[in-house]
Amino acid sequence: MDTENYTSSIAFDKRLYKQDIAGSIAHVKMLAKQKIISSKEANQIIKGLNTIKQEIESNSFDWQENLEDIHMNIENRLFEIVGKVAGKLHTGRSRNDQVSTDMRLFVKEQSINIVSSIKKLQISLVKLAENNIDIELPGYTHLQRAQPILFSHHMMAYFEMFSRDVERFLQTKSRADVCTLGSGALAGTTYNIDREFVAKELGFSKISLNSMDAVSDRDFIIDFCSSAATCMVHISRLSEEIIIWTSKEFDFLKLNKKHTTGSSMMPQKQNPDYAELSRGRSARTIGNLMSILTLLKGLPLTYNRDLQEDKEKLFDSLDTLSSTLNVIDEMVNGMKLNKKTIQKASEDPELLATDIADYLVKKGSPFREAYKIVVEIVKYSNKNDLTLKEFSLKDYQNFSKLFDQDIFKITANSSIQSRDVPGGTSTKQVSNSIKKAKIILEKNVE
Ligand code: ARG
């Protein structure tokens, strides 16, 4: 084992090069404005930093593991390019406030990218709901058939979950939106710096108010990992439904072949691997959140090297979520509803049990009594292998004299349409929520 490289983070923090260079340029501009260094020196340094950026982007940068991290790699190369003046870049700055600022810039940018990907998926869900607005489906509780609902209502439930995710990532972004440069190693700096100027240059809306908190705070990474884990849990639930619905037992959906894989042994199989993996990968994001919380819980103020461990967790949660959002969006767009089986399932008369009880209530029976009557009716129908559809009025009236001819007007559709409260499953309510969703989706991300 090579012990020298134990402290090195360059293998993963090279991902922060853009933020690191932007932070350095803003810092140098400020140093010149405050006459801490000359404009000529600042320009030389900025030119050198831009050259380094080009080298990195054209893959010609020579990364050196023994230089530990992104900050040292860039500073070292700056010396090679511009000479001694490079030594002025780090005036009034520490790697502690530098790395925090880099990470905050990164989290801000990536939160917005994630919001765009979530919105893309939301657009697909709304489209799917709209194209199938009237398809009836059994609604489940305890994974037992409960009441008829609209398929579109089911899809719009996921729209709501993802709307909360959008909100969470926007909050994550705004909590990361604090410039910590100028905090020095922990106590501030002796130079006459202009922190507001640096913040503005970098697009931050605020500066941090306590240097000790600033260099040791990673709450914004907890926020990002937590938002990512929650969003992955939502995706995982959707994947789980897709997996169940594509099973022969349900047969509600068919996935595009692209999102299934055959078995190496059983020739008939079309496994929903993409859905399974997106369900499975939620575990990593939950793990990353646990890691980052555990990493922080015992740390005394201020900076401790442990904090270097924040990066791989953050990057992994980001990469997992962003690739999974793309996959699930493609999958949702490619799947086909098996309308025949869905219709057959939604015609299951037992789904109407609540409606029959409500019917009796409207005719004057107390709900608890009506409930008991319907329990008896369902028991009887099961015992005699008779579906409610086959019940005659006389059959019904054996259980209650309140039943009348209009009992036959209760259908899956009447059941659905009668749930016309805000947030309910009637076509009117679901169309309304689709309309509102479209307005929300048209709004600009920020
Ligand atoms: N690579 C370090 C990190 O990610 C940068 C800060 C190093 N600071 C220090 N005092 N050694 O946290």
Side-chain angles (χ1 to χ4, degrees), residues 181-324:
L181 261 184
S183 303
L186 76 160
T189 168
T190 55
Y191 299 90
N192 173 33
I193 59 171
D194 182 347
R195 295 192 58 205
E196 295 286 355
F197 175 87
V198 175
K200 210 159 163 222
E201 279 289 303
L202 292 173
F204 283 110
S205 59
K206 304 187 251 322
I207 60 167
S208 55
L209 300 179
N210 181 301
S211 60
M212 297 180 75
D213 177 45
V215 295
S216 65
D217 170 32
R218 295 294 183 273
D219 291 0
F220 62 102
I221 297 180
I222 297 181
D223 286 342
F224 190 94
C225 288
S226 165
S227 307
T230 308
C231 187
M232 280 299 289
V233 165
H234 294 154
I235 294 175
S236 182
R237 294 182 72 172
L238 178 56
S239 295
E240 168 67 5
E241 301 224 67
I242 291 173
I243 292 162
I244 295 177
W245 286 357
T246 52
S247 72
K248 200 137 216 173
E249 282 66 21
F250 274 76
D251 201 22
F252 288 175
L253 278 187
K254 219 171 173 50
L255 286 173
N256 187 314
K257 235 180 151 177
K258 207 171 136 192
H259 303 122
T260 65
T261 324
S263 151
S264 56
M265 187 191 178
M266 299 165 280
Q268 84 284 13
K269 297 271 298 248
Q270 286 292 330
N271 299 325
D273 299 42
Y274 280 71
E276 290 172 280
L277 281 170
S278 53
R279 183 179 59 186
R281 289 201 180 137
S282 62
R284 317 161 61 112
T285 59
I286 296 167
N288 290 337
L289 173 61
M290 289 308 127
S291 293
I292 189 82
L293 287 166
T294 314
L295 176 73
L296 290 165
K297 76 176 259 298
L299 292 187
L301 288 178
T302 56
Y303 179 84
N304 297 272
R305 191 62 181 272
D306 314 45
L307 292 176
Q308 182 167 292
E309 291 288 304
D310 60 357
K311 290 170 198 62
E312 284 165 294
K313 306 302 164 199
L314 171 73
F315 296 157
D316 186 65
S317 284
L318 165 67
D319 295 342
T320 305
L321 177 59
S322 117
S323 56
T324 308

Side-chain angles (χ1 to χ4, degrees), residues 9 13 69 71 95-96 99 218 303 305 307-308 311:
S9 56
D13 68 12
D69 58 23
H71 325 296
R95 272 193 291 164
N96 298 352
V99 72
R218 295 294 183 273
Y303 179 84
R305 191 62 181 272
L307 292 176
Q308 182 167 292
K311 290 170 198 62

Side-chain angles (χ1 to χ4, degrees), residues 2 4-14 20 52 61-80 95 98 305 308:
D2 184 356
E4 228 176 72
N5 290 338
Y6 190 72
T7 56
S8 176
S9 56
I10 191 62
F12 47 88
D13 68 12
K14 57 168 75 146
D20 199 68
I52 293 173
F61 191 89
D62 184 19
W63 298 104
Q64 298 199 33
E65 199 152 337
N66 61 327
L67 289 173
E68 271 198 1
D69 58 23
I70 182 69
H71 325 296
M72 305 297 275
N73 265 266
I74 289 176
E75 198 178 337
N76 183 69
R77 179 71 186 127
L78 190 63
F79 270 100
E80 289 173 3
R95 272 193 291 164
Q98 186 181 358
R305 191 62 181 272
Q308 182 167 292

